[in-house]
Amino acid sequence: MNLRKIDHTNIEVSEIGIGVWSLVTDWWGGEINKAEEILKKALENGINFFDTADVYGEGLGEKILAKVFNTKRDKITILTKIGYDFYNKVNNRAQQRFSIEYLDYAFKKSLERLNTDYIDILMIHNPKMHIIKNKQILDFLQGLKKEGKVRLIGVALGPTLGWGEEGIEAIKMGYESLEYIYNLIELKPGIDFLNYDIGHFVRVPHASDALIEDKWPIYDDPKLHRSLKDINWIRRAVELSKPLLSFAKNKGMKLSQLALKFILYNKRVSSVLPNISSINELNEFLQVEKLPELTEEEYKYLYEYSINNFSELNKESIEETKRYK
């Protein structure tokens, strides 16, 4: 597994990471009882980067990392996020809460669940602009870093695509890393963030499964996370992706693997986080490391294909963000 050094740090992360959210919730159609097996096999195959949040499984995501890697803490890099208060729900839902008092509490609880005295990368989870601009919050996080309790601070942008202005503002404020959606279909705003020398952690690299041909045809399923996306958007994305199957085949890979190669072509990407919910998916994405790299010409072709075919879908995804603002 190739490792990438996060800019301006000595932190090295595997260029393919594991997002624990798909292992501890049933939103991805996975087998939760396989989570430990998947995590162990990932580390055995060189994956050292694990991305979670306190709210994933209401602490389960962090607990399972501690259980599986309790004697291997020095061999793994953990990213976790705080900012959703699931301890005091309203109408059975966790609410965003970014008071310093709460963030301090949430951070300490994450340390307990992870059974560690430090967190490699700590992010605030899906903050809006006024939270990102809040200097007190930034000072609190930087204080944790000075105390040696955190190695890198950042902002996880979401829950949807978009948040371009928020991402740029976070960088200007001094946050050292971002997690965001970026893929062959949804280039913006991720392509703009990649102009900056910070840590870049890319999620939803397959555009809500539209770039995984093994899942075609895609049906609406209210139990799955992709149901948050308009099924007609996904079906249009699939149709527009089909001409790329032959391109991928000529490279000796699946479209789902090509989608990861496209993201990893940019050396500023620290790690990409495909949604892995089974051993088969883990094996498929591990194979990406053995496949040929894209040439500059091939990358340019894919980039132009995206601009010419997916721009409208990209715009629609960004529009979805407005309902969360």
Side-chain angles (χ1 to χ4, degrees), residues 283-317:
N283 289 335
E284 179 179 323
F285 299 140
L286 284 171
Q287 287 298 315
V288 168
E289 296 293 288
K290 302 175 183 178
L291 296 171
E293 302 298 324
L294 296 179
T295 65
E296 182 178 0
E297 183 180 356
E298 288 168 337
Y299 174 80
K300 286 181 177 177
Y301 169 80
L302 291 171
Y303 180 86
E304 291 299 324
Y305 186 94
S306 180
I307 295 296
N308 293 331
N309 294 275
F310 297 133
S311 287
E312 191 59 37
L313 290 170
N314 196 174
K315 289 177 185 175
E316 289 175 21
S317 291

mmCIF file of all heavy atoms in Angstrom, residues 283-317:
data_model
loop_
_atom_site.group_PDB
_atom_site.id
_atom_site.type_symbol
_atom_site.label_atom_id
_atom_site.label_comp_id
_atom_site.label_asym_id
_atom_site.label_seq_id
_atom_site.Cartn_x
_atom_site.Cartn_y
_atom_site.Cartn_z
ATOM 1 N N ASN A 283 -11.169 -6.147 -1.072
ATOM 2 C CA ASN A 283 -10.234 -6.773 -2.007
ATOM 3 C C ASN A 283 -10.192 -6.035 -3.338
ATOM 4 O O ASN A 283 -9.117 -5.842 -3.920
ATOM 5 C CB ASN A 283 -10.611 -8.241 -2.238
ATOM 6 C CG ASN A 283 -10.329 -9.112 -1.032
ATOM 7 O OD1 ASN A 283 -9.468 -8.792 -0.219
ATOM 8 N ND2 ASN A 283 -11.056 -10.220 -0.904
ATOM 9 N N GLU A 284 -11.374 -5.623 -3.815
ATOM 10 C CA GLU A 284 -11.442 -4.912 -5.093
ATOM 11 C C GLU A 284 -10.653 -3.605 -5.042
ATOM 12 O O GLU A 284 -9.912 -3.268 -5.973
ATOM 13 C CB GLU A 284 -12.898 -4.626 -5.459
ATOM 14 C CG GLU A 284 -13.061 -3.859 -6.758
ATOM 15 C CD GLU A 284 -14.515 -3.619 -7.116
ATOM 16 O OE1 GLU A 284 -15.339 -4.522 -6.851
ATOM 17 O OE2 GLU A 284 -14.819 -2.538 -7.653
ATOM 18 N N PHE A 285 -10.792 -2.893 -3.949
ATOM 19 C CA PHE A 285 -10.124 -1.594 -3.863
ATOM 20 C C PHE A 285 -8.648 -1.736 -3.498
ATOM 21 O O PHE A 285 -7.826 -0.880 -3.862
ATOM 22 C CB PHE A 285 -10.873 -0.689 -2.886
ATOM 23 C CG PHE A 285 -12.298 -0.417 -3.307
ATOM 24 C CD1 PHE A 285 -13.342 -0.392 -2.386
ATOM 25 C CD2 PHE A 285 -12.609 -0.222 -4.644
ATOM 26 C CE1 PHE A 285 -14.651 -0.158 -2.790
ATOM 27 C CE2 PHE A 285 -13.914 0.010 -5.061
ATOM 28 C CZ PHE A 285 -14.941 0.038 -4.135
ATOM 29 N N LEU A 286 -8.284 -2.820 -2.809
ATOM 30 C CA LEU A 286 -6.861 -3.081 -2.572
ATOM 31 C C LEU A 286 -6.133 -3.322 -3.894
ATOM 32 O O LEU A 286 -4.955 -2.973 -4.035
ATOM 33 C CB LEU A 286 -6.692 -4.299 -1.662
ATOM 34 C CG LEU A 286 -6.974 -4.097 -0.167
ATOM 35 C CD1 LEU A 286 -6.989 -5.451 0.557
ATOM 36 C CD2 LEU A 286 -5.946 -3.172 0.476
ATOM 37 N N GLN A 287 -6.830 -3.909 -4.861
ATOM 38 C CA GLN A 287 -6.224 -4.199 -6.156
ATOM 39 C C GLN A 287 -5.811 -2.929 -6.905
ATOM 40 O O GLN A 287 -4.953 -2.975 -7.790
ATOM 41 C CB GLN A 287 -7.197 -5.006 -7.029
ATOM 42 C CG GLN A 287 -7.371 -6.452 -6.604
ATOM 43 C CD GLN A 287 -6.080 -7.243 -6.671
ATOM 44 O OE1 GLN A 287 -5.336 -7.158 -7.647
ATOM 45 N NE2 GLN A 287 -5.800 -8.001 -5.620
ATOM 46 N N VAL A 288 -6.402 -1.809 -6.534
ATOM 47 C CA VAL A 288 -6.089 -0.539 -7.200
ATOM 48 C C VAL A 288 -4.597 -0.245 -7.127
ATOM 49 O O VAL A 288 -4.002 0.311 -8.048
ATOM 50 C CB VAL A 288 -6.912 0.616 -6.570
ATOM 51 C CG1 VAL A 288 -6.403 1.978 -7.033
ATOM 52 C CG2 VAL A 288 -8.384 0.448 -6.935
ATOM 53 N N GLU A 289 -3.976 -0.647 -6.028
ATOM 54 C CA GLU A 289 -2.548 -0.389 -5.845
ATOM 55 C C GLU A 289 -1.688 -1.106 -6.893
ATOM 56 O O GLU A 289 -0.579 -0.662 -7.193
ATOM 57 C CB GLU A 289 -2.120 -0.832 -4.443
ATOM 58 C CG GLU A 289 -2.773 -0.048 -3.327
ATOM 59 C CD GLU A 289 -2.316 1.404 -3.309
ATOM 60 O OE1 GLU A 289 -1.165 1.657 -2.938
ATOM 61 O OE2 GLU A 289 -3.110 2.284 -3.686
ATOM 62 N N LYS A 290 -2.181 -2.201 -7.432
ATOM 63 C CA LYS A 290 -1.402 -2.993 -8.381
ATOM 64 C C LYS A 290 -1.691 -2.625 -9.831
ATOM 65 O O LYS A 290 -1.046 -3.149 -10.743
ATOM 66 C CB LYS A 290 -1.697 -4.485 -8.158
ATOM 67 C CG LYS A 290 -1.385 -4.975 -6.745
ATOM 68 C CD LYS A 290 -1.815 -6.419 -6.565
ATOM 69 C CE LYS A 290 -1.578 -6.886 -5.133
ATOM 70 N NZ LYS A 290 -2.041 -8.276 -4.917
ATOM 71 N N LEU A 291 -2.654 -1.762 -10.035
ATOM 72 C CA LEU A 291 -3.061 -1.408 -11.395
ATOM 73 C C LEU A 291 -2.235 -0.244 -11.930
ATOM 74 O O LEU A 291 -1.701 0.549 -11.161
ATOM 75 C CB LEU A 291 -4.554 -1.052 -11.400
ATOM 76 C CG LEU A 291 -5.493 -2.205 -11.020
ATOM 77 C CD1 LEU A 291 -6.914 -1.703 -10.838
ATOM 78 C CD2 LEU A 291 -5.445 -3.298 -12.079
ATOM 79 N N PRO A 292 -2.115 -0.133 -13.262
ATOM 80 C CA PRO A 292 -1.275 0.925 -13.849
ATOM 81 C C PRO A 292 -1.800 2.324 -13.533
ATOM 82 O O PRO A 292 -3.014 2.548 -13.470
ATOM 83 C CB PRO A 292 -1.335 0.626 -15.345
ATOM 84 C CG PRO A 292 -2.577 -0.200 -15.535
ATOM 85 C CD PRO A 292 -2.714 -1.008 -14.283
ATOM 86 N N GLU A 293 -0.863 3.253 -13.323
ATOM 87 C CA GLU A 293 -1.236 4.629 -13.051
ATOM 88 C C GLU A 293 -1.778 5.287 -14.318
ATOM 89 O O GLU A 293 -1.469 4.873 -15.445
ATOM 90 C CB GLU A 293 -0.019 5.422 -12.550
ATOM 91 C CG GLU A 293 0.633 4.859 -11.302
ATOM 92 C CD GLU A 293 -0.303 4.859 -10.108
ATOM 93 O OE1 GLU A 293 -1.117 5.800 -9.976
ATOM 94 O OE2 GLU A 293 -0.228 3.908 -9.309
ATOM 95 N N LEU A 294 -2.567 6.311 -14.151
ATOM 96 C CA LEU A 294 -3.032 7.090 -15.290
ATOM 97 C C LEU A 294 -1.887 7.945 -15.823
ATOM 98 O O LEU A 294 -1.107 8.508 -15.053
ATOM 99 C CB LEU A 294 -4.187 8.007 -14.885
ATOM 100 C CG LEU A 294 -5.494 7.352 -14.423
ATOM 101 C CD1 LEU A 294 -6.499 8.430 -14.054
ATOM 102 C CD2 LEU A 294 -6.061 6.438 -15.490
ATOM 103 N N THR A 295 -1.798 8.037 -17.128
ATOM 104 C CA THR A 295 -0.854 8.980 -17.725
ATOM 105 C C THR A 295 -1.466 10.378 -17.685
ATOM 106 O O THR A 295 -2.681 10.543 -17.453
ATOM 107 C CB THR A 295 -0.550 8.606 -19.182
ATOM 108 O OG1 THR A 295 -1.765 8.757 -19.950
ATOM 109 C CG2 THR A 295 -0.056 7.166 -19.291
ATOM 110 N N GLU A 296 -0.656 11.368 -17.912
ATOM 111 C CA GLU A 296 -1.170 12.743 -17.942
ATOM 112 C C GLU A 296 -2.245 12.893 -19.013
ATOM 113 O O GLU A 296 -3.271 13.546 -18.804
ATOM 114 C CB GLU A 296 -0.023 13.726 -18.199
ATOM 115 C CG GLU A 296 -0.464 15.178 -18.199
ATOM 116 C CD GLU A 296 0.692 16.145 -18.414
ATOM 117 O OE1 GLU A 296 1.843 15.682 -18.561
ATOM 118 O OE2 GLU A 296 0.440 17.362 -18.451
ATOM 119 N N GLU A 297 -2.014 12.267 -20.156
ATOM 120 C CA GLU A 297 -2.983 12.340 -21.249
ATOM 121 C C GLU A 297 -4.304 11.685 -20.857
ATOM 122 O O GLU A 297 -5.387 12.205 -21.153
ATOM 123 C CB GLU A 297 -2.400 11.657 -22.488
ATOM 124 C CG GLU A 297 -3.297 11.730 -23.710
ATOM 125 C CD GLU A 297 -2.690 11.050 -24.933
ATOM 126 O OE1 GLU A 297 -1.539 10.596 -24.842
ATOM 127 O OE2 GLU A 297 -3.384 10.968 -25.962
ATOM 128 N N GLU A 298 -4.231 10.538 -20.178
ATOM 129 C CA GLU A 298 -5.447 9.840 -19.757
ATOM 130 C C GLU A 298 -6.204 10.637 -18.711
ATOM 131 O O GLU A 298 -7.446 10.708 -18.746
ATOM 132 C CB GLU A 298 -5.082 8.460 -19.199
ATOM 133 C CG GLU A 298 -4.642 7.480 -20.280
ATOM 134 C CD GLU A 298 -4.019 6.227 -19.704
ATOM 135 O OE1 GLU A 298 -3.532 6.252 -18.550
ATOM 136 O OE2 GLU A 298 -3.996 5.202 -20.422
ATOM 137 N N TYR A 299 -5.474 11.229 -17.779
ATOM 138 C CA TYR A 299 -6.139 12.060 -16.770
ATOM 139 C C TYR A 299 -6.854 13.241 -17.435
ATOM 140 O O TYR A 299 -8.006 13.546 -17.095
ATOM 141 C CB TYR A 299 -5.131 12.580 -15.747
ATOM 142 C CG TYR A 299 -5.746 13.564 -14.771
ATOM 143 C CD1 TYR A 299 -6.499 13.113 -13.690
ATOM 144 C CD2 TYR A 299 -5.627 14.939 -14.970
ATOM 145 C CE1 TYR A 299 -7.106 14.006 -12.822
ATOM 146 C CE2 TYR A 299 -6.224 15.843 -14.100
ATOM 147 C CZ TYR A 299 -6.963 15.363 -13.033
ATOM 148 O OH TYR A 299 -7.572 16.262 -12.178
ATOM 149 N N LYS A 300 -6.183 13.882 -18.365
ATOM 150 C CA LYS A 300 -6.799 15.031 -19.053
ATOM 151 C C LYS A 300 -8.055 14.610 -19.807
ATOM 152 O O LYS A 300 -9.048 15.344 -19.834
ATOM 153 C CB LYS A 300 -5.786 15.672 -20.005
ATOM 154 C CG LYS A 300 -4.704 16.470 -19.307
ATOM 155 C CD LYS A 300 -3.749 17.108 -20.307
ATOM 156 C CE LYS A 300 -2.706 17.962 -19.590
ATOM 157 N NZ LYS A 300 -1.718 18.535 -20.553
ATOM 158 N N TYR A 301 -8.009 13.422 -20.414
ATOM 159 C CA TYR A 301 -9.192 12.926 -21.119
ATOM 160 C C TYR A 301 -10.362 12.766 -20.155
ATOM 161 O O TYR A 301 -11.487 13.192 -20.448
ATOM 162 C CB TYR A 301 -8.887 11.593 -21.801
ATOM 163 C CG TYR A 301 -10.129 10.906 -22.325
ATOM 164 C CD1 TYR A 301 -10.704 11.293 -23.534
ATOM 165 C CD2 TYR A 301 -10.759 9.897 -21.581
ATOM 166 C CE1 TYR A 301 -11.867 10.689 -23.998
ATOM 167 C CE2 TYR A 301 -11.913 9.284 -22.040
ATOM 168 C CZ TYR A 301 -12.465 9.684 -23.245
ATOM 169 O OH TYR A 301 -13.621 9.089 -23.692
ATOM 170 N N LEU A 302 -10.111 12.150 -18.998
ATOM 171 C CA LEU A 302 -11.170 11.935 -18.013
ATOM 172 C C LEU A 302 -11.681 13.255 -17.452
ATOM 173 O O LEU A 302 -12.888 13.421 -17.236
ATOM 174 C CB LEU A 302 -10.659 11.042 -16.883
ATOM 175 C CG LEU A 302 -10.379 9.588 -17.266
ATOM 176 C CD1 LEU A 302 -9.680 8.865 -16.130
ATOM 177 C CD2 LEU A 302 -11.660 8.863 -17.651
ATOM 178 N N TYR A 303 -10.771 14.180 -17.213
ATOM 179 C CA TYR A 303 -11.178 15.494 -16.705
ATOM 180 C C TYR A 303 -12.086 16.187 -17.718
ATOM 181 O O TYR A 303 -13.139 16.725 -17.343
ATOM 182 C CB TYR A 303 -9.936 16.342 -16.416
ATOM 183 C CG TYR A 303 -10.253 17.716 -15.897
ATOM 184 C CD1 TYR A 303 -10.469 17.927 -14.533
ATOM 185 C CD2 TYR A 303 -10.346 18.811 -16.752
ATOM 186 C CE1 TYR A 303 -10.772 19.193 -14.042
ATOM 187 C CE2 TYR A 303 -10.646 20.080 -16.276
ATOM 188 C CZ TYR A 303 -10.854 20.263 -14.927
ATOM 189 O OH TYR A 303 -11.157 21.519 -14.449
ATOM 190 N N GLU A 304 -11.692 16.174 -18.982
ATOM 191 C CA GLU A 304 -12.511 16.807 -20.017
ATOM 192 C C GLU A 304 -13.839 16.080 -20.194
ATOM 193 O O GLU A 304 -14.876 16.709 -20.412
ATOM 194 C CB GLU A 304 -11.744 16.837 -21.352
ATOM 195 C CG GLU A 304 -10.559 17.781 -21.369
ATOM 196 C CD GLU A 304 -10.966 19.228 -21.132
ATOM 197 O OE1 GLU A 304 -12.057 19.620 -21.622
ATOM 198 O OE2 GLU A 304 -10.213 19.955 -20.457
ATOM 199 N N TYR A 305 -13.810 14.757 -20.064
ATOM 200 C CA TYR A 305 -15.055 13.993 -20.150
ATOM 201 C C TYR A 305 -16.005 14.435 -19.049
ATOM 202 O O TYR A 305 -17.211 14.598 -19.283
ATOM 203 C CB TYR A 305 -14.763 12.495 -20.027
ATOM 204 C CG TYR A 305 -15.994 11.633 -20.252
ATOM 205 C CD1 TYR A 305 -16.268 11.124 -21.521
ATOM 206 C CD2 TYR A 305 -16.887 11.354 -19.219
ATOM 207 C CE1 TYR A 305 -17.401 10.346 -21.748
ATOM 208 C CE2 TYR A 305 -18.015 10.587 -19.437
ATOM 209 C CZ TYR A 305 -18.273 10.092 -20.697
ATOM 210 O OH TYR A 305 -19.405 9.342 -20.922
ATOM 211 N N SER A 306 -15.469 14.629 -17.856
ATOM 212 C CA SER A 306 -16.302 15.058 -16.739
ATOM 213 C C SER A 306 -16.902 16.442 -17.003
ATOM 214 O O SER A 306 -18.106 16.652 -16.799
ATOM 215 C CB SER A 306 -15.470 15.090 -15.456
ATOM 216 O OG SER A 306 -16.261 15.515 -14.362
ATOM 217 N N ILE A 307 -16.072 17.364 -17.456
ATOM 218 C CA ILE A 307 -16.551 18.719 -17.738
ATOM 219 C C ILE A 307 -17.652 18.692 -18.793
ATOM 220 O O ILE A 307 -18.682 19.371 -18.675
ATOM 221 C CB ILE A 307 -15.393 19.623 -18.210
ATOM 222 C CG1 ILE A 307 -14.354 19.807 -17.090
ATOM 223 C CG2 ILE A 307 -15.916 20.969 -18.697
ATOM 224 C CD1 ILE A 307 -14.856 20.529 -15.869
ATOM 225 N N ASN A 308 -17.457 17.888 -19.828
ATOM 226 C CA ASN A 308 -18.391 17.879 -20.961
ATOM 227 C C ASN A 308 -19.664 17.086 -20.696
ATOM 228 O O ASN A 308 -20.691 17.332 -21.329
ATOM 229 C CB ASN A 308 -17.699 17.308 -22.205
ATOM 230 C CG ASN A 308 -16.584 18.202 -22.707
ATOM 231 O OD1 ASN A 308 -16.632 19.416 -22.531
ATOM 232 N ND2 ASN A 308 -15.567 17.604 -23.307
ATOM 233 N N ASN A 309 -19.615 16.132 -19.760
ATOM 234 C CA ASN A 309 -20.758 15.247 -19.564
ATOM 235 C C ASN A 309 -21.425 15.330 -18.195
ATOM 236 O O ASN A 309 -22.611 15.041 -18.075
ATOM 237 C CB ASN A 309 -20.326 13.796 -19.809
ATOM 238 C CG ASN A 309 -19.947 13.522 -21.237
ATOM 239 O OD1 ASN A 309 -20.796 13.234 -22.074
ATOM 240 N ND2 ASN A 309 -18.655 13.602 -21.539
ATOM 241 N N PHE A 310 -20.665 15.710 -17.175
ATOM 242 C CA PHE A 310 -21.194 15.655 -15.812
ATOM 243 C C PHE A 310 -21.421 17.016 -15.164
ATOM 244 O O PHE A 310 -21.859 17.073 -14.006
ATOM 245 C CB PHE A 310 -20.233 14.853 -14.913
ATOM 246 C CG PHE A 310 -20.057 13.413 -15.299
ATOM 247 C CD1 PHE A 310 -18.783 12.862 -15.369
ATOM 248 C CD2 PHE A 310 -21.147 12.602 -15.590
ATOM 249 C CE1 PHE A 310 -18.597 11.531 -15.699
ATOM 250 C CE2 PHE A 310 -20.974 11.272 -15.935
ATOM 251 C CZ PHE A 310 -19.701 10.735 -15.995
ATOM 252 N N SER A 311 -21.123 18.096 -15.864
ATOM 253 C CA SER A 311 -21.183 19.422 -15.229
ATOM 254 C C SER A 311 -22.558 19.749 -14.673
ATOM 255 O O SER A 311 -22.685 20.338 -13.590
ATOM 256 C CB SER A 311 -20.751 20.513 -16.222
ATOM 257 O OG SER A 311 -19.361 20.463 -16.436
ATOM 258 N N GLU A 312 -23.606 19.381 -15.394
ATOM 259 C CA GLU A 312 -24.958 19.679 -14.929
ATOM 260 C C GLU A 312 -25.265 18.897 -13.656
ATOM 261 O O GLU A 312 -25.874 19.426 -12.711
ATOM 262 C CB GLU A 312 -25.982 19.358 -16.014
ATOM 263 C CG GLU A 312 -27.380 19.878 -15.714
ATOM 264 C CD GLU A 312 -27.431 21.398 -15.523
ATOM 265 O OE1 GLU A 312 -26.703 22.118 -16.236
ATOM 266 O OE2 GLU A 312 -28.184 21.849 -14.622
ATOM 267 N N LEU A 313 -24.858 17.637 -13.613
ATOM 268 C CA LEU A 313 -25.052 16.836 -12.410
ATOM 269 C C LEU A 313 -24.271 17.428 -11.235
ATOM 270 O O LEU A 313 -24.760 17.457 -10.103
ATOM 271 C CB LEU A 313 -24.585 15.399 -12.663
ATOM 272 C CG LEU A 313 -25.445 14.562 -13.621
ATOM 273 C CD1 LEU A 313 -24.728 13.255 -13.954
ATOM 274 C CD2 LEU A 313 -26.817 14.281 -13.038
ATOM 275 N N ASN A 314 -23.069 17.900 -11.508
ATOM 276 C CA ASN A 314 -22.253 18.539 -10.477
ATOM 277 C C ASN A 314 -22.952 19.771 -9.908
ATOM 278 O O ASN A 314 -23.027 19.966 -8.685
ATOM 279 C CB ASN A 314 -20.895 18.917 -11.076
ATOM 280 C CG ASN A 314 -19.826 19.238 -10.048
ATOM 281 O OD1 ASN A 314 -18.675 19.456 -10.387
ATOM 282 N ND2 ASN A 314 -20.168 19.279 -8.775
ATOM 283 N N LYS A 315 -23.515 20.568 -10.790
ATOM 284 C CA LYS A 315 -24.236 21.780 -10.344
ATOM 285 C C LYS A 315 -25.446 21.413 -9.495
ATOM 286 O O LYS A 315 -25.732 22.059 -8.483
ATOM 287 C CB LYS A 315 -24.688 22.599 -11.558
ATOM 288 C CG LYS A 315 -23.562 23.291 -12.307
ATOM 289 C CD LYS A 315 -24.085 24.016 -13.535
ATOM 290 C CE LYS A 315 -22.957 24.610 -14.348
ATOM 291 N NZ LYS A 315 -23.439 25.212 -15.623
ATOM 292 N N GLU A 316 -26.169 20.396 -9.902
ATOM 293 C CA GLU A 316 -27.348 19.974 -9.144
ATOM 294 C C GLU A 316 -26.959 19.499 -7.745
ATOM 295 O O GLU A 316 -27.668 19.754 -6.774
ATOM 296 C CB GLU A 316 -28.080 18.869 -9.903
ATOM 297 C CG GLU A 316 -28.774 19.357 -11.161
ATOM 298 C CD GLU A 316 -29.389 18.237 -11.975
ATOM 299 O OE1 GLU A 316 -29.641 17.148 -11.395
ATOM 300 O OE2 GLU A 316 -29.605 18.430 -13.193
ATOM 301 N N SER A 317 -25.833 18.800 -7.648
ATOM 302 C CA SER A 317 -25.363 18.346 -6.340
ATOM 303 C C SER A 317 -25.036 19.523 -5.439
ATOM 304 O O SER A 317 -25.347 19.516 -4.245
ATOM 305 C CB SER A 317 -24.125 17.455 -6.502
ATOM 306 O OG SER A 317 -24.458 16.237 -7.113
#
